[in-house]
Amino acid sequence: MNAVTDPSGDAGPPGERLIAAEGLEVAFGGRRVLEHVDITVSAGEIVTVIGPNGSGKSTLVRTLLGLQPLSAGHVWRKPGLTIGYVPQKLQVDAIMPLTVTRFLTLTGRHDRATVERALAETGVGHLADAQFHVLSGGEHQRVLLARALLRSPDLLVLDEPVQGVDFTGEAALYELIGVIARRHRCGILMVSHDLHVVMAATDRVVCLNHHICCAGTPEAVTHHPEYRRLFGARAAGALALYSHHHDHHHHTVSGAVVTPETNRPEPPHA
Amino acid sequence: MPEDFLVRAALAGIGVALAAAPLGCFIVWRRMAYFGDTMAHSALLGVALGFLLGLAPTVGVILVTTGIAILLILLQQQRRLATDTLLGILSHSALSTGLVALSLMAWLRIDLMGYLFGDILAVTALDLYLVYGGGALVLATMAAIWRPLLAATVHEDLARAEGVPTLIVRLVFMLLVALVIAIAMKIVGILLITALLIIPAAAARRFARTPEQMAVMAALIGAVAVLLGLGGSFGFDTPSGPSVVVAAMLLFVLSLVPIGRRIDG
């Protein structure tokens, strides 16, 4: 159960450390949104932050990205770290004419072939000339993912990457995220308020409610009393779903997934 | 041969329409219509300040409108009042303070209606230099900040995370809006400047598939509105500023009529 109480996880990280935060504290107008938060993400691993709405998940992400000043603690980034970011709410009004290709090249200049390759990788190669504001929920998220990939990131930061996507689409998206992590050998930090699918697609789960309640492998976290207290009845469902798949990979005694590069848990095909 | 004052009016109006178009697009994209309106309404206070300090009215207008914009951004940090309430308070307070200040300065004899609704037919050669000099500065600066401003408009956090200096870009944009208000004041009047910013942009949306196309179309539509409005003003003896805005409105309504294949987007 060490895996559960040690917020940074117990086993050695699968790869080089990409980003590490220690003792993070963020306050808005005297109200503490985050306190004593430690978190690390290493190359090749998928870390998911789960927590109820308003638990500080997006604030944590924005702090790690350097968008939110912190009141205590510090964030270390690997020198020269490139981050691909998929923000939580990105809506383009119909009043702005913007093609998908143009959206992908807003801050970086990439040639047409590179853009099309990135879109093809996330399964939306046919949308290069579509107007951004008419995309469906799933297409929208895949375009955002392609945009993040264009930067050749060492670390992908995905804030609610399956929002607006139906349940079957969710599973496919998490599968795609797993494929991307393996192919690009990048670390992934994901934020989610849903439990079921995301936990099965994850190496390490951090359960956040202003502070870190528990952290570790998905299986270890689902057994943790703090987690069950936080999510109540929904937690049981996640456990069932996770258990259904936990045969697909093996753990060390301490709970770390063995060789995550080759033996990542499959997303459920529920 | 049209008369000199009409040629000057047309040239000045077209110059303002060209400079206002790209800014108008961003004002529409960033949902800043009331923000722009508030800045414009404070221009009269700038005129009063200019007279009081012995500055050119243009300088006073740029100072006060920029000041109001910064004040608004600071006030938005508090959470008690919603932005539209703040805008309503600032907009009307600034306009009224300007009116009161000008009427207290009893020694001044100014054409208040001209400031409020524009006096395009009284454009001087000096005004033309101001419009084209200021307009060129606005367009050149817009071209320089176009890409980062567009990125910041689509998503501020994403742009910042990717290294765009969004705060600076936003401040520069606000200064440009102040400058356009200063040069457009004489042409359409401070009460109608927002119309010249947003109506051509809104009318251009349908004909554009990229942000740049929309800016160019807005410039064309704005210029046509100026010519139509001036023609109408001369022909029917109507006030010039409102006539230009009515022409822009008619073009906007025309842009809504489905004709043939719609360029969708």
Side-chain angles (χ1 to χ4, degrees), chain A residues 1-14:
Chain A
M1 282 283 106
N2 279 344
V4 178
T5 47
D6 176 4
S8 59
D10 57 325

Side-chain angles (χ1 to χ4, degrees), chain B residues 9-34:
Chain B
L11 285 177
I14 289 170
V16 167
L18 298 182
L23 274 78
C25 289
F26 273 101
I27 285 178
V28 164
W29 295 333
R30 298 177 70 94
R31 301 181 175 206
M32 284 173 59
Y34 275 97

Side-chain angles (χ1 to χ4, degrees), chain A residues 53-264:
Chain A
N53 287 328
S55 57
K57 302 186 298 290
S58 286
T59 303
L60 174 59
V61 163
R62 297 186 73 245
T63 310
L64 292 174
L65 288 169
L67 299 172
Q68 169 70 46
L70 37 95
S71 22
H74 68 270
V75 177
W76 174 89
R77 289 182 199 83
K78 191 186 92 170
L81 181 74
T82 304
I83 297 178
Y85 174 38
V86 171
Q88 189 184 359
K89 287 201 177 69
L90 195 156
Q91 280 171 338
V92 171
D93 286 344
I95 190 70
M96 185 189 278
L98 197 70
T99 63
V100 166
T101 298
R102 187 61 198 274
F103 173 71
L104 262 62
T105 53
L106 272 178
T107 53
R109 296 183 191 268
H110 308 278
D111 60 34
R112 175 86 188 181
T114 314
V115 166
E116 280 178 356
R117 216 177 308 127
L119 287 170
E121 181 169 0
T122 59
V124 285
H126 58 294
L127 293 175
D129 295 316
Q131 286 284 317
F132 189 78
H133 68 91
V134 298
L135 301 180
S136 74
E139 291 167 345
H140 186 268
Q141 294 307 112
R142 283 165 185 269
V143 166
L144 290 190
L145 210 51
R147 188 178 190 283
L149 284 180
L150 265 183
R151 297 169 56 79
S152 312
D154 310 304
L155 173 67
L156 274 176
V157 176
L158 314 174
D159 198 347
E160 303 273 6
V162 301
Q163 58 180 308
V165 180
D166 60 34
F167 189 74
T168 44
E170 272 186 25
L173 250 180
Y174 283 126
E175 191 172 347
L176 173 66
I177 290 167
V179 168
I180 284 170
R182 273 179 304 234
R183 185 180 303 153
H184 295 264
R185 300 181 176 282
C186 54
I188 294 189
L189 176 67
M190 242 188 308
V191 160
S192 184
H193 68 272
D194 73 339
L195 309 170
H196 303 227
V197 191
V198 69
M199 291 182 63
T202 296
D203 296 318
R204 211 145 46 79
V205 176
V206 174
C207 182
L208 184 78
N209 190 21
H210 304 295
H211 64 283
I212 290 180
C213 303
C214 51
T217 64
E219 195 183 33
V221 165
T222 47
H223 283 109
H224 195 277
E226 275 282 316
Y227 166 83
R228 298 193 162 198
R229 192 183 56 74
L230 206 55
F231 290 103
R234 289 162 63 206
L239 177 60
L241 231 158
Y242 180 72
S243 300
H244 177 68
H245 285 281
H246 89 287
D247 292 343
H248 291 245
H249 60 272
H250 305 280
H251 297 271
T252 60
V253 179
S254 53
V257 177
V258 175
T259 56
E261 304 284 60
T262 54
N263 207 358
R264 193 175 298 284

Side-chain angles (χ1 to χ4, degrees), chain B residues 28-46:
Chain B
V28 164
W29 295 333
R30 298 177 70 94
R31 301 181 175 206
M32 284 173 59
Y34 275 97
F35 193 96
D37 214 33
T38 302
M39 285 177 73
H41 280 185
S42 70
L44 202 60
L45 195 56

Side-chain angles (χ1 to χ4, degrees), chain B residues 198-207 221 248 251-253 255:
Chain B
I198 65 173
I199 298 178
R205 170 60 184 98
R206 176 176 168 196
F207 308 104
I221 291 170
L251 290 176
F252 171 71
V253 172
S255 83

Side-chain angles (χ1 to χ4, degrees), chain B:
Chain B
M1 193 64 199
E3 294 174 55
D4 272 2
F5 74 94
L6 262 188
V7 173
R8 280 200 301 274
L11 285 177
I14 289 170
V16 167
L18 298 182
L23 274 78
C25 289
F26 273 101
I27 285 178
V28 164
W29 295 333
R30 298 177 70 94
R31 301 181 175 206
M32 284 173 59
Y34 275 97
F35 193 96
D37 214 33
T38 302
M39 285 177 73
H41 280 185
S42 70
L44 202 60
L45 195 56
V47 172
L49 186 78
F51 280 120
L52 206 61
L53 300 180
L55 300 166
T58 314
V59 177
V61 168
I62 292 174
L63 285 179
V64 170
T65 50
T66 310
I68 286 283
I70 291 170
L71 180 65
L72 187 68
I73 290 169
L74 292 179
L75 285 175
Q76 278 173 337
Q77 308 298 317
Q78 57 85 41
R79 304 272 165 100
R80 198 171 303 164
L81 291 175
T83 298
D84 64 332
T85 308
L86 279 174
L87 285 169
I89 293 171
L90 276 182
S91 168
H92 298 105
S93 306
L95 181 61
S96 303
T97 313
L99 285 166
V100 167
L102 280 177
S103 62
L104 282 177
M105 295 154 77
W107 62 93
L108 273 182
R109 290 182 156 272
I110 61 158
D111 173 18
L112 192 59
M113 288 301 275
Y115 280 111
L116 291 179
F117 296 108
D119 192 3
I120 195 169
L121 299 180
V123 168
T124 63
L126 184 68
D127 291 329
L128 267 185
Y129 288 126
L130 183 69
V131 166
Y132 278 87
L137 180 64
V138 167
L139 289 181
T141 316
M142 271 311 275
I145 63 167
W146 186 268
R147 278 178 63 88
L149 183 60
L150 193 66
T153 300
V154 170
H155 197 278
E156 176 104 11
D157 265 0
L158 186 58
R160 265 178 74 198
E162 293 176 1
V164 175
T166 56
L167 184 66
I168 294 169
V169 168
R170 239 168 47 208
L171 282 175
V172 171
F173 176 67
M174 218 115 68
L175 271 172
L176 292 182
V177 174
L179 191 56
V180 160
I181 288 170
I183 63 177
M185 184 172 62
K186 182 135 191 187
I187 315 301
V188 284
I190 62 169
L191 291 183
L192 296 175
I193 285 169
T194 319
L196 201 60
L197 284 166
I198 65 173
I199 298 178
R205 170 60 184 98
R206 176 176 168 196
F207 308 104
R209 280 188 57 84
T210 68
E212 293 75 20
Q213 282 173 9
M214 184 159 151
V216 170
M217 279 305 296
L220 281 177
I221 291 170
V224 171
V226 164
L227 291 177
L228 286 177
L230 279 181
S233 168
F234 194 61
F236 303 107
D237 193 23
T238 50
S240 56
S243 304
V244 168
V245 174
V246 168
M249 177 203 71
L250 291 176
L251 290 176
F252 171 71
V253 172
L254 264 183
S255 83
L256 299 177
V257 178
I259 309 164
R261 200 176 67 87
R262 190 161 172 262
I263 302 171
D264 209 348

